[in-house]
Amino acid sequence: MKQLMRLVLTLFVISGSFTSVALHAEENENSNIAEFWVMVPKAGMESKFQEALKGHIEHRQEKEDPRMWNTYRPVLGDGLNKYYIRTCCVSWAKLDDYREWSNKNNMGQHFQEKVGQYVESYEHYFAEVDMDNGHWPDDSSKFVYFGVTDFHAKFGMYASVQQGKKMLSDHAKEMKWPYYWSWSRRIGGEGGLSLVIPYSNYAEMAPPKETFYEALSKHLGGEDKAREMFQNWDNNFESATYQIYALDKNLSMQAK
């Protein structure tokens, strides 16, 4: 429990500011659905996979794909051969529109012919981005790295997680915490809550002089209140995992 509490503290402590990971949303309050694929190339075919994927991206650009797709690579752990290809954000209804565009332009067929032969496995998920409780800049093009913590909640703690997430975010905004963050809930698989902190380089990952815990203690008028808040938050979860993802600009696509 204490380890998880320290992890949460660290996340809000680090200087930070996912590039359009991409909170590139339509101007619609319901446009908060991200979509992403996780792909693993076949052994010994990673270079061919990258070359084929880049060609497929160029094909999508020629067809004027209305979405922006970014590719991310994990930096930590043993799953370094995974490619996370993500777009954000649209409404649920727009997913139908995009599927229609994709079928009309034979995107799936083109991918299978050019890229699919080099792919060992696929995963596919949606994510609901919490626009209200995040703090993200309009222009996030400078960010290259994204620290992502996946929280695994205890059964029956959904309401408590929502309350705690809002409380932490509200206090961070009230005391003008000068860094950026984003919350999202994965739909599919094991699900779970994610906290994303963006960076433009590794140097920004160093803790600031005043930690979030110290700033929050001052804001609340005492360390006891801050400690209690984090203990309550910590009690919502069984565990948490942390990963840093790097944006691969060569394998990313900007919408026209």
Side-chain angles (χ1 to χ4, degrees), residues 47-183:
S47 295
K48 291 183 177 180
F49 166 79
Q50 291 181 358
E51 183 180 354
L53 180 59
K54 188 173 182 179
H56 178 68
I57 289 172
E58 292 172 353
H59 177 72
R60 284 181 173 269
Q61 289 178 313
E62 291 172 1
K63 294 294 184 179
E64 298 186 348
D65 191 328
R67 289 190 180 184
M68 178 175 68
W69 292 91
N70 283 322
T71 297
Y72 303 89
R73 303 289 309 280
V75 173
L76 308 174
D78 57 0
L80 302 181
N81 59 339
K82 291 185 176 182
Y83 290 72
Y84 293 75
I85 304 172
R86 185 181 187 275
T87 185
C88 183
C89 291
V90 297
S91 65
W92 284 107
K94 287 296 184 180
L95 294 174
D96 294 317
D97 295 341
Y98 188 74
R99 182 179 181 182
E100 183 178 345
W101 174 88
S102 182
N103 290 337
K104 180 181 178 180
N105 289 277
N106 299 315
M107 287 297 110
Q109 179 181 345
H110 186 275
F111 181 89
Q112 288 302 325
E113 291 177 352
K114 301 298 183 180
V115 190
Q117 59 187 311
Y118 305 119
V119 180
E120 179 67 32
S121 65
Y122 298 93
E123 297 174 48
H124 180 230
Y125 304 101
F126 294 117
E128 184 181 58
V129 179
D130 186 346
M131 301 292 188
D132 293 332
N133 290 307
H135 177 54
W136 207 265
D138 293 332
D139 181 9
S140 54
S141 58
K142 69 176 182 178
F143 300 125
V144 179
Y145 299 103
F146 304 89
V148 180
T149 299
D150 294 317
F151 296 94
H152 311 292
K154 298 175 183 176
F155 182 76
M157 302 303 290
Y158 177 80
S160 180
V161 169
Q162 292 296 99
Q163 181 181 9
K165 177 181 63 173
K166 185 179 187 308
M167 187 179 300
L168 286 170
S169 299
D170 284 349
H171 284 305
K173 293 175 182 179
E174 288 171 6
M175 65 188 191
K176 301 189 185 312
W177 183 243
Y179 307 113
Y180 298 110
W181 70 89
S182 172
W183 298 99

